[in-house]
């Protein structure tokens, strides 16, 4: 039994290990006739690519994507689209200790406990290198939902939050943290740099919204849009929490405080859709999109591979200490931003097709 495939009508399977020759994704169920080329996928991979600032890992992976199948004369054919990204900057010797002992907080012990045998080089299949494949698949998903705009950004690093009053969407692409608040981005330089210099790491919260999702996407009861989004986000490496809309804060509100009041459409509103006066629900009710922006928050834990020695055991059960050699992100949530956007796109593309399949 294996589970490397996500989605129903628009589905993708990822393959490959961190230090193998290549990684990739096979996207199946993509409608035919969509204009596509590698240049439409590459910018999303470039946003996730390591080595772009001193606040992310110094590995240098060009992450050039190649389309191997499913596209003819620049358009999707409706057959499986195979995407491949070569691995070019592996240093497997950095991982010789990982072969013998388990990195606390990483997946080494759990993989051994399950499979009894693992590709330890760079974390093998458990490495977040795999998320490049998701980002490539997500770029294809975006072609299926051109009516939707997806944006993610970092709202908190090391416990330091943005000021919502300073939110400026145009700032997100202007700093190395995908941060919409320039003052917070300035503070985070020190927080992330201190963590790196101290051989430590910090966590982050990534927020994501999708605008333009019409009312009606989502498949109750066991394919609810919020449930699928939560599974998609929780499945990203290092993610330990997901909230839809107000999430846990909703539990601290009253019924009237949490309501999203509606009034009849204003003249310019689309096709009689009501005007909502709030969006505590994150654009989803009963597992179905309401036409409001779909919003979620995703909590990334601090990177587990750190330079500070930690107590652990060897594969044969002996006590030892371990610190991680190699090049790691001091805050994995930063490079998690394009991955969160990709998972949002993949879920929405699947639900658009599922909605069309059932309701026409
Ligand atoms: C973009 C990204 C980059 C990551 N880079 C690293 C890294 O350099 N070192 C590390 O220990 N973990 C890194 N991680 C997290 C690990 O892949 C993850 O913690 C590990 O697979 C165990 O899974 P879990 O944390 O989801 O339980 C990264 C995660 C993401 C999303």
């Amino acid at each position: 039994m294996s589970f490397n495939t996500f989605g129903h009508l628009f589905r993708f399977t990822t393959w490959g290990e961190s230090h193998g020759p290549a990684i990739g994704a096979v996207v199946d169920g993509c409608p035919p006739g969509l204009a596509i080329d590698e240049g439409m996928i590459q910018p999303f991979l470039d946003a996730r690519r390591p080595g772009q600032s001193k606040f992310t890992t110094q590995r240098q992976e060009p992450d050039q994507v190649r389309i191997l199948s499913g596209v003819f004369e620049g358009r999707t054919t409706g057959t499986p689209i195979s995407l491949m990204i070569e691995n070019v900057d592996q240093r497997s010797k950095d991982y010789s200790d990982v072969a013998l002992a388990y990195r606390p907080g990483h997946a080494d012990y759990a993989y051994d406990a399950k499979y009894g045998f693992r590709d330890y080089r760079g974390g093998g299949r458990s490495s977040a290198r795999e998320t490049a494949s998701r980002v490539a698949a997500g770029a294809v998903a975006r072609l299926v939902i051109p009516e939707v705009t997806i944006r993610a950004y970092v709202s908190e690093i090391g416990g330091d939050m943005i000021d919502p009053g300073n939110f400026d969407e145009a700032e997100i692409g202007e700093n190395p943290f995908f941060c919409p608040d320039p003052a917070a981005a300035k503070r985070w330089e020190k927080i992330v740099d201190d963590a790196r210099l101290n051989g430590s790491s910090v966590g982050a919260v990534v927020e994501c919204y999708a605008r333009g999702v019409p009312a009606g996407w989502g498949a109750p009861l066991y394919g609810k849009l919020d449930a699928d989004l939560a599974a998609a986000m929780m499945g990203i490496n290092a993610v330990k929490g997901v909230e839809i809309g107000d999430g846990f804060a909703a539990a601290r509100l009253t019924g009237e405080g949490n309501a999203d009041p509606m009034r009849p459409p204003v003249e310019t509103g689309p096709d009689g859709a009501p005007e909502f006066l709030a969006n505590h629900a994150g654009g989803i009710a009963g597992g179905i999109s309401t036409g409001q922006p779909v919003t979620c928050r995703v909590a990334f834990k601090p990177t587990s591979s750190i330079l500070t020695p930690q107590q652990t055991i060897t594969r044969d059960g002996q006590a030892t200490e371990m610190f991680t050699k190699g090049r790691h992100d001091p805050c994995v949530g930063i490079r998690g931003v394009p991955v969160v956007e990709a998972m949002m796109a993949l879920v929405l593309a699947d639900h658009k097709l599922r909605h069309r399949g059932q309701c026409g």
Side-chain angles (χ1 to χ4, degrees):
M1 259 208 278
S2 61
F3 294 89
N4 293 287
T5 301
F6 189 87
H8 292 260
L9 294 192
F10 186 97
R11 51 163 52 183
F12 70 102
T13 303
T14 69
W15 53 268
E17 287 82 27
S18 177
H19 288 207
I23 57 170
V26 178
V27 177
D28 202 3
C30 184
L34 302 177
I36 185 173
D37 61 28
E38 280 135 358
M40 296 162 90
I41 302 174
Q42 196 58 48
F44 299 103
L45 285 165
D46 290 346
R48 197 214 71 103
R49 197 157 54 85
Q52 302 200 78
S53 80
K54 66 175 178 171
F55 306 109
T56 59
T57 174
Q58 292 309 300
R59 289 190 302 267
Q60 293 293 339
E61 292 279 5
D63 283 355
Q64 286 294 327
V65 67
R66 276 181 64 199
I67 301 174
L68 302 183
S69 69
V71 175
F72 182 63
E73 294 181 340
R75 294 196 302 150
T76 58
T77 57
T79 61
I81 301 170
S82 191
L83 306 165
M84 185 181 80
I85 303 159
E86 280 179 51
N87 293 325
V88 300
D89 189 25
Q90 312 99 314
R91 288 192 199 164
S92 298
K93 67 176 168 35
D94 284 345
Y95 290 87
S96 48
D97 291 354
V98 179
L100 304 172
Y102 302 123
R103 287 170 296 177
H106 214 290
D108 306 331
Y109 169 73
Y111 264 63
D112 254 0
K114 181 176 177 67
Y115 300 106
F117 178 66
R118 79 195 139 96
D119 178 352
Y120 54 80
R121 301 164 308 158
R125 183 73 183 153
S126 74
S127 162
R129 177 111 193 89
E130 185 269 351
T131 59
S133 306
R134 301 179 192 215
V135 170
V140 180
R142 285 176 193 256
L143 304 177
V144 179
I145 48 168
E147 64 274 54
V148 177
T149 304
I150 297 172
R151 200 69 178 110
Y153 53 90
V154 180
S155 64
E156 186 175 331
I157 283 187
D160 185 88
M161 283 190 256
I162 59 167
D163 175 351
N166 287 348
F167 189 98
D168 180 355
E169 195 175 306
E171 283 293 326
I172 297 172
E174 298 300 314
N175 59 74
F177 303 104
F178 299 104
C179 177
D181 170 358
K186 199 82 211 132
R187 295 194 303 273
W188 293 351
E189 287 180 10
K190 180 165 166 44
I191 293 175
V192 177
D193 216 28
D194 282 355
R196 185 177 62 84
L197 294 171
N198 294 332
S200 183
S201 60
V202 283
V205 175
V206 174
E207 299 188 0
C208 185
Y209 59 79
R211 289 200 195 109
V213 178
W217 294 1
L221 286 175
Y222 298 108
K224 290 183 174 182
L225 186 58
D226 40 1
D228 282 0
L229 266 183
M233 299 302 172
M234 195 57 110
I236 300 173
N237 308 44
V239 169
K240 290 311 243 183
V242 182
E243 296 181 312
I244 309 291
D246 281 3
F248 274 66
R252 298 188 284 272
L253 294 174
T254 58
E256 60 276 25
N258 186 54
D260 293 332
M262 284 174 266
R263 65 183 177 203
V266 281
E267 234 174 288
T268 51
D271 306 336
E275 191 189 341
F276 288 88
L277 304 180
N279 187 15
H280 298 284
I284 303 173
I288 303 172
S289 57
T290 61
Q292 292 229 77
V294 172
T295 65
C296 68
R297 304 178 81 235
V298 183
F300 285 84
K301 73 185 191 185
T303 323
S304 54
S305 303
I306 49 176
L307 294 174
T308 306
Q310 294 165 88
Q311 206 176 328
T312 188
I313 58 167
T314 60
R315 284 198 77 197
D316 51 14
Q318 304 303 308
T320 186
E321 269 204 337
M322 187 155 189
F323 68 93
T324 309
K325 298 183 194 126
R327 299 154 294 168
H328 296 277
D329 282 285
C331 176
V332 295
I334 301 169
R335 289 177 54 233
V337 168
V339 188
V340 167
E341 287 190 356
M343 294 312 289
M344 176 70 91
L346 288 156
V347 170
L348 292 177
D350 188 33
H351 273 284
K352 176 177 179 174
L353 300 187
R354 287 164 76 177
H355 176 60
R356 193 191 283 173
Q358 186 183 18
C359 302

